[in-house]
Amino acid sequence: MKYDHILVRVGELALKGKNRSVFEKALASNINVVLKGYDVKVHRMFGRIMIELHDAREEEIIEKLKDVFGIHSFSLALKVENELEAIQKGALAALMDSRNQPVRTFKVTAKRPNKNFPIDSQSLNPLVGGYVLQNTEDITVNVHKPDVEIRVEVRETATYITCGNIPGAGGLPVGTGGKVMLMLSGGIDSPVAGYLTMKRGVKINAIHFHSPPYTNERAKEKVKELVRILTKYCGTIQLHLVPFTEMQTTIHEKVPGDYAMTIMRRMMMRISEKIADNQKQTALAIATGESLGQVASQTLHSMNAINEVTNMPIIRPLVTMDKLEVIEIAKKIGTYETSILPYEDCCTIFLPPNSKTRPRRELANKFEGNFDFTSLVDKAVAETEVVTIRNQPTKEEQAVDDLF
């Protein structure tokens, strides 16, 4: 016998009550997107999603499933008929397939969602375990800490047998939690914030502020590459490239140096909010890579002064993390090496020697009043370039820049 299915467990989705089917349908749809081009078929059943492999390349599929949010764990599975003899032979075959690791002990855990099956789960355990013992040597039962757990699930139309679990990405299926605009700088933090936001089921569109000629084309390509890496968790991301040169030079001229960073961040929020409102399906929040106290613009006082200009919720997934924790996640998701490429973003130019760590709202409003920034906000929004980046690019998009 050969593994012919993958059994996907949904974890947190099982707690969704009456909305459960909505989340499971979204997860099945996301799995179909990720496995596009493979000879597989995805079925949804209560509490599980089954993937028929059809001789597909199972190792490649396993690697792709590890990055799908909403999957708690998954296992290679044998599908057999709902007959005791077929289940016994399937369990033995599954155990033999796992012998590439040292196996001296095992246990059988049977579940019977199909209550019409004549043997209950408690009776099925010894019947299957006894058959395995009779047909193997030097293997015993250990119900507490077995080397291998043979799981048997008796469903309505068939029984599925697995040995071993592969951890999934967890979280909720992307697309079930609405949409946010991710402010993506090109550094280490904001891609991690995007990853963690998607893990809660939220679809992200990215916004990047660039200031040519002070920031060059390579900085822009770096951001595109970061977005491309993030698309493996969601399929497609729209990247909004906002021209910010005129805004930054005006702030540099009109605003006292110690408040320049605060005003710049406020303008970024104003622009992000307008772009969010222009979405076909309006984005409901703005996500950032800010961590409390990390730099001058990320103190509570700064956040308070910056947040004043928008009524949109600001999501800060990294707010309580230290830098080492963020770096660890960045390495895990594959963004770190790109993030540390030495191409400056707009936040590092015109940087004053001293930025206020405790800016006051009334002073921020006063300095903004020195110039009517509204026209510059509208102009930046109107001139924003929108690029759609896909996990599976078109032939035209496969022309990879020499930078990467």
Side-chain angles (χ1 to χ4, degrees):
M1 287 187 183
K2 180 183 177 183
Y3 286 119
D4 49 14
H5 283 70
I6 292 178
L7 181 152
V8 176
R9 303 175 188 87
V10 299
E12 186 178 349
L13 274 60
L15 305 176
K16 293 300 177 181
K18 293 180 180 180
N19 292 327
R20 178 173 178 165
S21 64
V22 174
F23 287 85
E24 290 181 351
K25 286 178 182 177
L27 177 56
S29 176
N30 290 350
I31 290 173
N32 270 315
V33 170
V34 167
L35 300 184
K36 184 179 179 181
Y38 289 91
D39 185 16
V40 299
K41 191 170 183 179
V42 180
H43 302 280
R44 188 170 63 89
M45 57 181 66
F46 187 76
R48 297 284 187 267
I49 290 175
M50 295 293 178
I51 304 171
E52 290 184 41
L53 291 177
H54 295 164
D55 294 322
R57 302 182 295 277
E58 66 182 40
E59 291 304 320
E60 293 180 22
I61 290 173
I62 286 171
E63 289 305 308
K64 286 185 174 293
L65 290 177
K66 288 178 181 178
D67 295 328
V68 178
F69 292 125
I71 296 179
H72 173 68
S73 66
F74 58 98
S75 304
L76 288 165
L78 285 174
K79 179 183 178 182
V80 300
E81 295 181 1
N82 284 347
E83 296 178 354
L84 177 59
E85 184 178 355
I87 293 171
Q88 290 172 324
K89 289 181 178 179
L92 178 62
L95 180 68
M96 291 297 100
D97 190 83
S98 67
R99 292 298 294 273
N100 56 352
Q101 58 176 316
V103 178
R104 296 184 178 85
T105 60
F106 77 96
K107 68 179 285 190
V108 177
T109 302
K111 292 184 178 180
R112 190 184 57 138
N114 177 7
K115 301 305 179 186
N116 292 322
F117 188 73
I119 306 172
D120 64 37
S121 56
Q122 293 302 314
S123 302
L124 194 56
N125 287 334
L127 289 172
V128 174
Y131 180 86
V132 171
L133 285 172
Q134 291 169 13
N135 290 276
T136 56
E137 296 180 359
D138 301 323
I139 296 180
T140 60
V141 172
N142 184 332
V143 297
H144 299 294
K145 291 185 177 181
D147 295 327
V148 172
E149 181 179 8
I150 304 172
R151 293 188 178 187
V152 177
E153 290 195 17
V154 184
R155 295 270 167 176
E156 293 299 321
T157 58
T159 295
Y160 297 88
I161 301 167
T162 66
C163 286
N165 281 346
I166 301 168
L172 300 173
V174 174
T176 58
K179 183 196 296 182
V180 308
M181 306 305 298
L182 170 69
M183 296 175 66
L184 189 65
S185 69
I188 295 170
D189 300 333
S190 51
V192 174
Y195 167 82
L196 293 175
T197 301
M198 287 189 288
K199 188 172 182 177
R200 298 314 303 160
V202 176
K203 180 176 177 58
I204 64 170
N205 281 358
I207 300 178
H208 177 69
F209 295 86
H210 65 109
S211 298
Y214 304 104
T215 58
N216 61 32
E217 195 66 22
R218 292 190 169 212
K220 191 193 295 187
E221 291 303 316
K222 171 184 173 180
V223 169
K224 288 181 180 178
E225 178 62 15
L226 288 171
V227 173
R228 191 172 292 114
I229 295 168
L230 291 177
T231 59
K232 73 178 180 179
Y233 301 101
C234 63
T236 303
I237 296 174
Q238 275 193 347
L239 171 62
H240 300 255
L241 296 164
V242 181
F244 205 56
T245 309
E246 189 173 356
M247 177 69 80
Q248 276 201 283
T249 54
T250 302
I251 291 172
H252 182 65
E253 293 169 2
K254 303 294 183 181
V255 175
D258 56 349
Y259 265 79
M261 180 62 72
T262 301
I263 303 304
M264 184 186 77
R265 297 291 294 180
R266 283 162 67 105
M267 293 303 132
M268 287 179 170
M269 287 293 176
R270 292 184 190 276
I271 292 168
S272 298
E273 182 177 49
K274 279 186 171 289
I275 292 175
D277 287 340
N278 290 343
Q279 300 295 297
K280 288 182 180 179
Q281 294 178 328
T282 303
L284 301 176
I286 297 169
T288 79
E290 294 168 305
S291 175
L292 191 59
Q294 185 167 267
V295 294
S297 66
Q298 296 178 21
T299 64
L300 272 182
H301 295 79
S302 289
M303 291 178 184
N304 179 266
I306 293 165
N307 284 13
E308 181 187 21
V309 302
T310 178
N311 289 320
M312 296 190 76
I314 310 298
I315 298 174
R316 296 179 170 96
L318 314 185
V319 70
T320 63
M321 293 186 185
D322 62 37
K323 197 68 175 185
L324 292 178
E325 291 174 301
V326 177
I327 289 173
E328 184 177 349
I329 299 173
K331 290 179 176 179
K332 169 189 166 185
I333 66 176
T335 57
Y336 179 75
E337 294 300 329
T338 301
S339 290
I340 62 174
L341 290 173
Y343 308 129
E344 290 186 325
D345 61 44
C346 70
C347 292
T348 60
I349 63 175
F350 301 124
L351 193 64
N354 295 303
S355 291
K356 277 286 184 183
T357 58
R358 296 191 174 194
R360 292 157 52 189
R361 282 187 171 187
E362 61 270 24
L363 285 179
N365 286 316
K366 174 186 174 182
F367 296 139
E368 277 191 32
N370 293 339
F371 184 84
D372 183 8
F373 288 96
T374 304
S375 60
L376 291 182
V377 169
D378 292 339
K379 184 179 180 183
V381 173
E383 295 178 355
T384 294
E385 176 190 0
V386 182
V387 180
T388 299
I389 298 178
R390 299 175 180 84
N391 182 236
Q392 296 179 337
T394 63
K395 289 182 180 179
E396 291 78 11
E397 293 168 337
Q398 287 177 343
V400 180
D401 194 294
D402 289 340
L403 282 171
F404 305 103

